[in-house]
Amino acid sequence: LVHVELGIMTDEAPAEILSAEGKSINLYAYSSYIAKAVQELIEKSDEQEKRIAALETELQTLKNKKSAQ
């Protein structure tokens, strides 16, 4: 098992998560930033699930109409 370091480089980080001097990451801001991103992804996933359900219902309705003909 190889140990891999994961993280973000300050020169690639959004300004919202940098420390006041811009040389390090503010971990509270970073975790808040990530939490917001997760919330947005959950909302998008929920919307997609609803859309898929609606499309499945529409598909079933069309199949039922076709078989009734």
Side-chain angles (χ1 to χ4, degrees):
L1 187 46
V2 177
H3 177 76
V4 178
E5 298 274 333
L6 300 175
I8 188 166
M9 304 296 292
T10 56
D11 58 339
E12 298 173 358
E16 297 86 1
I17 66 168
L18 293 177
S19 64
E21 61 278 348
K23 294 182 180 182
S24 62
I25 303 293
N26 177 322
L27 291 180
Y28 178 77
Y30 184 54
S31 63
S32 297
Y33 198 77
I34 297 298
K36 179 64 177 165
V38 170
Q39 286 175 341
E40 290 175 5
L41 288 171
I42 290 169
E43 288 174 11
K44 186 173 185 175
S45 175
D46 291 346
E47 290 169 7
Q48 290 175 340
E49 286 178 9
K50 289 176 186 175
R51 184 167 184 248
I52 289 168
L55 289 170
E56 287 173 338
T57 300
E58 183 178 348
L59 177 61
Q60 190 59 47
T61 300
L62 292 171
K63 284 181 178 180
N64 291 344
K65 285 182 182 179
K66 185 173 181 175
S67 65
Q69 292 177 350

